[in-house]
Amino acid sequence: MNDTWEKLYEECSSCTACELSKTRTNCVFGTGNREADILFIGEAPGDNEDKTGTPFVGRAGQLLDEYFYAVDIPRESVYIANILKCRPPKNRDPLPAEEDACIEFLRRQVKLINPKIIVCLGRISAMRLIRPDYKITKEHGQWVQKGNFLITAVYHPALLLRDPRKKEDMLTDMKSIKEKLDEITGKK
Ligand code: URA
């Protein structure tokens, strides 16, 4: 049977496949344009996301919004999701077993959206979606073709809050993403 957003959301929000389901307030499913050309994928929900059920609404999300604004990619035009749909305690890194338990939901989201471009937000997402030994410091901003998708990774906005010297690289990468998007969608 064909997958649907309703079915996927229902399964995701009632999932008990890992321990994180016991401590979540909300499942943070994903948000945005379900027909987006571009899909941004972060790591896992934080406190604000767990409380609201929406990805990237805390400080890191506000910084991400500034980059969307700076390069003229409206947030409403993209889809934003995470590798994990439930918040890890104290915002620790996802465990491999948690990623394995959750990744099918993301795969199904990718299939339903069928974006042209996927942007990994941070190293955890890049290591899962591009290569396990991905080195974000060296490889951020580079493009990789994977199946039907063009994939790149940028620094995680939470890292930029801790290390503002990386903000210049982030702006360069986001500008290149906007250029690629325009190129692919024929706006250029
Ligand atoms: N960090 C992430 O990786 N995802 C969110 O949704 C919020 C913060």
Side-chain angles (χ1 to χ4, degrees):
M1 210 182 82
N2 279 347
D3 208 1
T4 65
W5 282 104
E6 291 65 30
K7 196 162 153 259
L8 183 53
Y9 179 77
E10 177 55 39
E11 284 176 41
C12 192
S13 55
S14 57
C15 175
T16 54
C18 82
E19 292 287 300
L20 299 183
S21 60
K22 294 185 183 157
T23 49
R24 73 170 170 241
T25 312
N26 285 293
C27 146
V28 181
F29 179 71
T31 187
N33 178 3
R34 292 172 172 184
E35 290 169 12
D37 290 318
I38 183 162
L39 167 61
F40 286 80
I41 302 174
E43 177 180 324
D47 185 33
N48 290 291
E49 291 76 21
D50 175 64
K51 284 191 179 118
T52 58
T54 305
F56 285 98
V57 290
R59 277 183 71 215
Q62 284 160 18
L63 182 57
L64 181 62
D65 287 346
E66 287 180 25
Y67 286 99
F68 284 143
Y69 183 77
V71 302
D72 196 21
I73 297 178
R75 180 170 165 134
E76 322 75 69
S77 71
V78 310
Y79 197 88
I80 308 176
N82 283 306
I83 301 278
L84 293 193
K85 309 305 193 214
C86 296
R87 182 193 182 202
K90 297 183 186 151
N91 301 337
R92 64 155 168 74
D93 285 355
L95 302 175
E98 291 162 355
E99 290 188 15
D100 291 345
C102 212
I103 200 74
E104 191 57 25
F105 291 126
L106 180 64
R107 281 210 191 95
R108 288 166 66 186
Q109 287 175 307
V110 171
K111 250 185 134 176
L112 284 168
I113 298 165
N114 193 24
K116 297 185 170 68
I117 293 175
I118 294 177
V119 180
C120 303
L121 292 165
R123 99 195 143 84
I124 300 273
S125 172
M127 286 165 66
R128 185 77 209 199
L129 301 174
I130 301 178
R131 265 195 356 267
D133 63 345
Y134 192 87
K135 297 280 178 288
I136 192 90
T137 314
K138 272 195 184 159
E139 299 179 69
H140 67 87
Q142 294 178 14
W143 292 96
V144 181
Q145 181 83 43
K146 270 206 153 189
N148 292 334
F149 312 114
L150 263 177
I151 307 194
T152 189
V154 298
Y155 286 124
H156 195 290
L159 175 67
L160 302 174
L161 291 170
R162 295 194 299 273
D163 185 359
R165 287 167 305 175
K166 293 194 160 59
K167 285 184 170 181
E168 215 177 298
D169 281 349
M170 177 66 164
L171 187 58
T172 305
D173 291 346
M174 288 295 288
K175 282 181 182 165
S176 130
I177 289 164
K178 166 68 171 164
E179 269 182 26
K180 188 68 84 182
L181 181 65
D182 287 350
E183 204 179 294
I184 286 182
T185 56
K187 285 194 192 134
K188 235 182 180 179

